């Protein structure tokens, strides 16, 4: 089993969010998973231009680090996403990365994978950031096992407990993957997404050849 952790705090070793992502990875490692950590802020990831070439050809016009990161994710069974709260949202580095996944959403490429999200905030709304990240995992087709977040200013002594929780969440992620756990609410969401994507892929089949071919290959059409 392989679990990948992606973090988008630019603060390097000083990042609280990064330490929570790494705790999650340690939890999964203890159970026996292989792990990989990627600091998105150290990667070159260009803005999505919305050109739609990925829908048609299955590859992006940009030459940068995104492709290797996507390959590493697709080879993984589990994904931990981490971002600090920047103005009640994810950091820009995380958003630039997520925008490059539009074609993966159309193709539901994270189908069968599991994940969870972590976030820290100075004052508030770290939970909101996790909800956004978990929702992104869901619309990509993955199941989510929970979230780990802390508003540090409101809970200055709570960080070591939250680190322990992140470790346990890493173990929970391992178990969910091993047991191929499912949850009715998430299954319903996946079914809805599959229907919506099927509709737009079919509607645009002459233009989005690569995505249409992918869906056919999966036996979803
Ligand atoms: C550009 C920027 C925007 C921020 N916006 C918020 C915010 O809206 N709410 C909040 O509670 N904290 C905010 N913070 C504080 C960070 O969320 C907080 O320090 C976080 O723990 C940093 O995580 P890190 O240590 O992983 O980098 C912001 C910090 C920066 C640099």
């Amino acid at each position: 089993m392989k679990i990948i952790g992606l973090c988008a705090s630019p603060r390097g070793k000083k990042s609280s969010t990064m330490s929570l992502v790494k705790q999650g990875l340690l939890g999964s490692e203890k159970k026996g998973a292989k792990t990989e950590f990627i600091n998105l802020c150290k990667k070159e990831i260009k803005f999505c231009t919305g050109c739609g070439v990925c829908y048609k050809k299955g590859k992006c016009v940009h030459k940068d680090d995104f492709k290797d990161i996507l390959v590493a994710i697709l080879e993984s069974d589990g994904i931990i996403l981490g971002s600090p709260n920047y103005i009640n949202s994810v950091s820009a580095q995380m958003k630039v990365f997520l925008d490059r996944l539009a074609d993966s959403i159309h193709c539901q490429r994270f189908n069968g994978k599991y994940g969870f999200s972590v976030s820290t905030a100075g004052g508030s709304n770290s939970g909101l950031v996790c909800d956004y990240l978990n929702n992104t995992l869901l619309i990509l087709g993955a199941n989510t096992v929970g979230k780990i977040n802390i508003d540090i200013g409101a809970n200055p002594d709570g960080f070591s407990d939250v680190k322990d929780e992140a470790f346990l969440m890493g173990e929970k992620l391992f178990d969910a993957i091993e047991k191929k756990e499912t949850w009715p609410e998430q299954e319903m969401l996946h079914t809805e997404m599959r229907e919506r994507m099927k509709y737009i892929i079919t509607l645009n089949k002459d233009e989005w050849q690569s995505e249409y071919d992918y869906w056919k290959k999966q036996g979803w059409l």
Side-chain angles (χ1 to χ4, degrees), residues 134-212:
N134 272 346
N135 184 255
T136 306
L137 287 171
L138 275 166
I139 64 170
L140 280 153
N143 289 306
T144 56
V145 301
K147 63 181 181 184
I148 296 293
N149 63 286
I150 178 167
D151 298 334
I152 294 170
N155 186 8
D157 302 323
F159 198 69
S160 91
D161 284 349
V162 175
K163 271 178 99 169
D164 293 344
E165 286 169 26
F167 186 92
L168 293 175
M169 192 63 80
E171 292 189 327
K172 186 175 172 185
L173 178 61
F174 182 97
D175 291 341
I177 295 167
E178 202 169 51
K179 292 183 199 141
K180 294 189 176 14
E181 246 178 283
T182 55
W183 297 269
E185 245 176 60
Q186 296 192 35
E187 287 307 299
M188 234 167 69
L189 257 159
H190 292 318
T191 306
E192 275 170 30
M193 264 313 273
R194 193 77 76 82
E195 285 305 311
R196 265 176 54 202
M197 293 303 112
K198 185 178 182 172
Y199 176 74
I200 61 164
I201 297 284
T202 311
L203 194 71
N204 292 286
K205 72 175 189 305
D206 295 333
E207 212 188 327
W208 299 353
Q209 298 96 346
S210 165
E211 293 190 345
Y212 188 74

Side-chain angles (χ1 to χ4, degrees), residues 7-12 14-19 83-89 119-126 150-152:
C7 186
S9 161
R11 296 197 323 124
K14 289 189 199 146
S15 164
S16 332
T17 315
M18 185 169 93
S19 74
S83 171
N85 173 358
Y86 276 9
I87 324 290
N88 293 330
S89 187
S119 179
T120 66
S124 59
N125 285 327
S126 55
I150 178 167
D151 298 334
I152 294 170

Side-chain angles (χ1 to χ4, degrees), residues 43-49 53 57 59-68 100:
K43 300 290 179 187
E44 187 196 13
I45 306 173
K46 293 179 181 161
F47 295 125
C48 172
T49 61
V53 167
K57 301 197 170 164
K59 51 185 176 192
C60 184
V61 292
H62 291 314
K63 302 258 178 295
D64 58 14
D65 294 326
F66 174 77
K67 191 176 161 209
D68 288 345
R100 296 282 294 278

